[in-house]
């Protein structure tokens, strides 16, 4: 018996999530899974739950942060640890481990926010600028991806892997498209 491929809402085979780089000239400063001792001690999570990046054209705050995908803004606010942030969910479901799910794409430590909750955004739309807000060691963007399922309300999407030690996050690097020259 052949494995059945997951289908999207229109009955077509579900696509794999593809994300565009949220900064123009990305330099990674910390990868997913690094520094387990620090993150367990400071935040109670198993290891770094996203990717930290800067724009090579900037030495401080201010680089533009763009939406990595089309989506709906679920959250724009301040978190004591993460600072200013934006959470976007994908408009359509994508394949994940043999099923179809939506994804939350998360941007933290922003200097400012140029979108609002409930707003529909498109890939490449300005979300804000790189900052140094929250418990940050310097200006950078913290970028996370979390598979999610629909909650009762638009703002109530649940992380599918909430108990994975990093609050549902998975490695964003495998979904980022290699930038073209």
């Amino acid at each position: 018996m052949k494995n059945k491929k997951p289908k999207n809402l229109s009955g077509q085979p579900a696509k794999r999530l593809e994300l565009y780089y949220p900064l123009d000239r990305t330099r990674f400063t910390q990868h997913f899974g690094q520094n387990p001792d620090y993150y367990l001690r400071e935040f109670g999570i198993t290891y770094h739950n996203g990717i930290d990046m800067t724009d090579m054209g900037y030495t401080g705050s201010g680089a533009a942060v763009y939406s990595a995908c089309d989506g709906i803004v679920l959250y724009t606010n301040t978190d004591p640890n993460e600072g200013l942030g934006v959470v976007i969910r994908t408009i359509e479901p994508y394949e994940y481990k043999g099923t179809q799910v939506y994804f939350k794409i998360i941007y933290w430590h922003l200097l400012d926010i140029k979108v609002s909750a409930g707003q529909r955004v498109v890939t490449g739309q300005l979300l804000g600028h790189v900052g140094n807000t929250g418990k940050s060691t310097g200006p950078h963007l913290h970028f996370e991806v979390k598979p999610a399922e629909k909650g009762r309300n638009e703002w109530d999407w649940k992380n599918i892997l909430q108990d994975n030690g990093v609050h549902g996050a998975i490695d964003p690097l495998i979904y980022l498209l290699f930038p073209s020259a």
Side-chain angles (χ1 to χ4, degrees):
M1 179 177 192
K2 289 188 176 187
N3 289 338
K4 289 187 175 182
K5 296 233 183 237
K7 306 275 188 205
N8 67 16
L9 297 178
S10 63
Q12 300 299 315
K15 298 185 291 186
R16 181 182 182 278
L17 178 66
E18 295 179 340
L19 299 172
Y20 290 84
Y21 280 73
L23 301 176
D24 282 329
R25 296 168 298 266
T26 302
R27 180 174 66 91
F28 296 113
T29 57
Q30 187 170 186
H31 288 276
F32 184 84
Q34 290 187 315
N35 298 322
D37 294 335
Y38 171 77
Y39 286 95
L40 187 59
R41 182 178 65 250
E42 294 295 319
F43 304 105
I45 59 176
T46 309
Y47 44 76
H48 190 236
N49 62 342
I51 297 174
D52 289 348
M53 55 182 83
T54 60
D55 186 314
M56 292 184 290
Y58 285 79
T59 56
S61 298
V65 176
Y66 303 103
S67 182
C69 64
D70 294 348
I72 303 291
V73 178
L74 295 179
Y75 172 92
T76 62
N77 213 329
T78 302
D79 176 89
N81 292 325
E82 305 292 356
L84 283 175
V86 173
V87 178
I88 295 172
R89 73 145 171 95
T90 57
I91 292 172
E92 63 181 285
Y94 292 91
E95 190 280 326
Y96 179 73
K97 294 193 174 189
T99 188
Q100 62 177 355
V101 301
Y102 292 85
F103 285 87
K104 292 194 292 188
I105 315 303
I106 304 166
Y107 310 78
W108 288 118
H109 304 311
L110 300 176
L111 175 66
D112 57 13
I113 297 173
K114 302 295 186 186
V115 294
S116 56
Q119 181 179 343
R120 188 173 179 146
V121 296
V122 296
T123 303
Q125 183 172 338
L126 180 67
L127 301 177
H129 295 87
V130 169
N132 189 21
T133 59
K135 288 186 177 178
S136 171
T137 57
H140 71 280
L141 172 66
H142 176 82
F143 184 72
E144 293 180 36
V145 172
K146 295 181 178 185
E149 60 188 11
K150 189 172 185 171
R152 178 175 293 226
N153 301 297
E154 184 64 35
W155 60 86
D156 192 30
W157 287 72
K158 307 289 185 201
N159 300 331
I160 291 173
L161 304 171
Q162 184 62 30
D163 297 327
N164 70 348
V166 286
H167 303 300
I170 59 175
D171 190 351
L173 193 59
I174 62 175
Y175 298 103
L176 286 170
L177 296 173
F178 193 74
S180 59

